[in-house]
Amino acid sequence: MLYTNYAEYNLDTLTLTNKKQTSDDRLLQSRLGEEGRIPRHIAVIMDGNGRWAKSRGNIRLFGHKAGVDSVRDITEACAQLGVEYLTLYAFSTENWGRPMDEVTGLMQLLVQSLRNETRKLNDNDIRLLTIGQLERFPESCQRELREAIDLTRDNKRMNLCLALSYSGRWDITQAVRKLAVQVKQGKINPEDISDDLITSELVTADIPDPDLIIRTSGEFRISNFLLWQLAYSELYITNTYWPDFRRNELYEAIRSYQKRERRFGKTSEQVST
Ligand code: IPE
Ligand code: IPE
Ligand code: MG
């Protein structure tokens, strides 16, 4: 059946699997850890939900809903691998311009997913945080997010950072504005403005730059994600739509990352010694 009205779509059917980790998967993960470095921070542009749904004759929200299963699987796998930060681009500043029905559906899905998943995140010692203009979200969403953030505040195993109403240009703009105020108040001089000072005013000030950025659905663009922070991130782009992106492909992305030489502007000889 082709749903045309999002209001008819029952989000209560959102059930997430609670599979036990298989011994094969444990083996794959330990091999990955032996073969090279596990990225400290992985950031993901989760794209292709709409096309995934359309290819099945369904509405876009069906794809977003299926995408939640991938979020869960990738979050679990990253925590098991010892990734310290996982940042997920869930809603961009530009996504506010989508049809009202889709935006509302996404907000409902976010609230529902937080209700279903927060306890499990907490049981797994995962800390939830967000970056973006949360104040633009409906109060119900903000409350649900605040509760999840508060509950998981002291967790140590992994940081799961949701980019919500986020864009890189917005982030840089708000940082520049704060610095301009400090100059105006005479707290700093224009000459004091450095790479580090700008970094310290970004919403990611407490988060290391991403080592690996994954984009699904085959688009070769950044779409206003972490513009400042990705200066030296390794990029991995796959044609797989987000709802089909599961841990085995994450392992492929990490394997690709492990084969690369990160030179940070230096020569190969310099970084290999
Ligand atoms: C990504 O999937 C999810 C969000 C941007 C919220 P899309 O909804 O962009 O799916 P496509 O790119 O249209 O297939
Ligand atoms: C990027 O996907 C934003 C998120 C994944 C949240 P989009 O689907 O919005 O990006 P464009 O429009 O194809 O660049
Ligand atoms: Mg898209």
Side-chain angles (χ1 to χ4, degrees):
M1 176 182 175
L2 184 73
Y3 289 91
T4 47
N5 181 355
Y6 284 14
E8 284 172 18
Y9 201 81
N10 184 9
L11 288 173
D12 294 341
T13 56
L14 186 84
T15 48
L16 299 173
T17 50
N18 195 5
K19 286 182 300 198
K20 280 237 176 322
Q21 190 184 18
T22 63
S23 54
D24 279 356
D25 185 49
R26 246 194 303 272
L27 194 66
L28 281 176
Q29 289 188 349
S30 68
R31 271 204 207 124
L32 206 55
E34 285 156 16
E35 278 161 20
R37 280 175 73 91
I38 298 296
R40 185 174 179 211
H41 181 179
I42 298 179
V44 189
I45 304 174
M46 309 184 289
D47 198 18
N49 295 352
R51 279 162 285 168
W52 185 89
K54 196 175 170 193
S55 71
R56 285 162 175 74
N58 234 312
I59 58 157
R60 298 176 56 81
L61 189 61
F62 184 71
H64 297 315
K65 214 179 96 159
V68 177
D69 286 340
S70 297
V71 168
R72 171 188 247 262
D73 191 49
I74 298 306
T75 303
E76 258 177 29
C78 283
Q80 288 160 351
L81 282 167
V83 171
E84 283 179 53
Y85 296 85
L86 172 64
T87 299
L88 301 177
Y89 202 11
F91 194 81
S92 73
T93 306
E94 288 76 19
N95 290 151
W96 285 112
R98 291 194 178 191
M100 191 56 154
D101 266 7
E102 181 169 349
V103 172
T104 309
L106 279 165
M107 302 292 142
Q108 286 173 348
L109 189 58
L110 176 63
V111 169
Q112 185 93 40
S113 306
L114 286 165
R115 282 194 190 136
N116 288 343
E117 298 299 311
T118 298
R119 194 183 310 152
K120 181 131 197 285
L121 281 182
N122 197 39
D123 290 348
N124 280 285
D125 200 18
I126 296 171
R127 173 178 167 235
L128 184 80
L129 56 150
T130 60
I131 49 172
Q133 281 181 293
L134 273 204
E135 62 279 10
R136 290 187 69 178
F137 277 70
E139 185 45 45
S140 61
C141 273
Q142 292 189 39
R143 193 175 48 243
E144 212 67 48
L145 280 163
R146 272 198 306 269
E147 282 173 16
I149 291 165
D150 275 356
L151 181 73
T152 61
R153 178 174 304 280
D154 297 322
N155 292 347
K156 295 278 183 296
R157 187 176 180 197
M158 186 179 79
N159 297 282
L160 173 62
C161 176
L162 299 182
L164 293 167
S165 190
Y166 177 86
S167 75
R169 286 187 177 179
W170 162 79
D171 193 2
I172 294 168
T173 305
Q174 64 81 33
V176 168
R177 207 173 279 142
K178 282 193 273 180
L179 290 171
V181 170
Q182 291 173 39
V183 171
K184 193 175 171 196
Q185 292 172 339
K187 290 183 182 155
I188 57 168
N189 294 313
E191 311 79 70
D192 298 332
I193 296 176
S194 62
D195 179 328
D196 284 347
L197 201 59
I198 294 172
T199 300
S200 73
E201 295 296 353
L202 294 170
V203 287
T204 51
D206 299 326
I207 302 175
D209 288 344
D211 299 294
L212 172 63
I213 295 188
I214 297 172
R215 181 168 191 150
T216 58
S217 90
E219 307 293 358
F220 280 71
R221 58 176 171 260
I222 294 299
S223 301
N224 217 347
F225 196 32
L226 304 169
L227 296 180
W228 175 275
Q229 299 86 338
L230 57 66
Y232 273 104
S233 304
E234 297 297 328
L235 306 179
Y236 180 88
I237 293 165
T238 169
N239 286 328
T240 307
Y241 292 143
W242 176 249
D244 286 331
F245 188 90
R246 296 301 162 91
R247 61 180 65 203
N248 284 338
E249 208 173 334
L250 171 77
Y251 302 158
E252 250 176 67
I254 295 176
R255 247 176 251 121
S256 160
Y257 167 86
Q258 289 175 336
K259 286 190 203 121
R260 304 186 194 181
E261 182 178 61
R262 301 185 76 188
R263 291 190 287 276
F264 300 96
K266 297 191 172 150
T267 66
S268 187
E269 289 69 26
Q270 283 177 299
V271 294
S272 60
T273 51

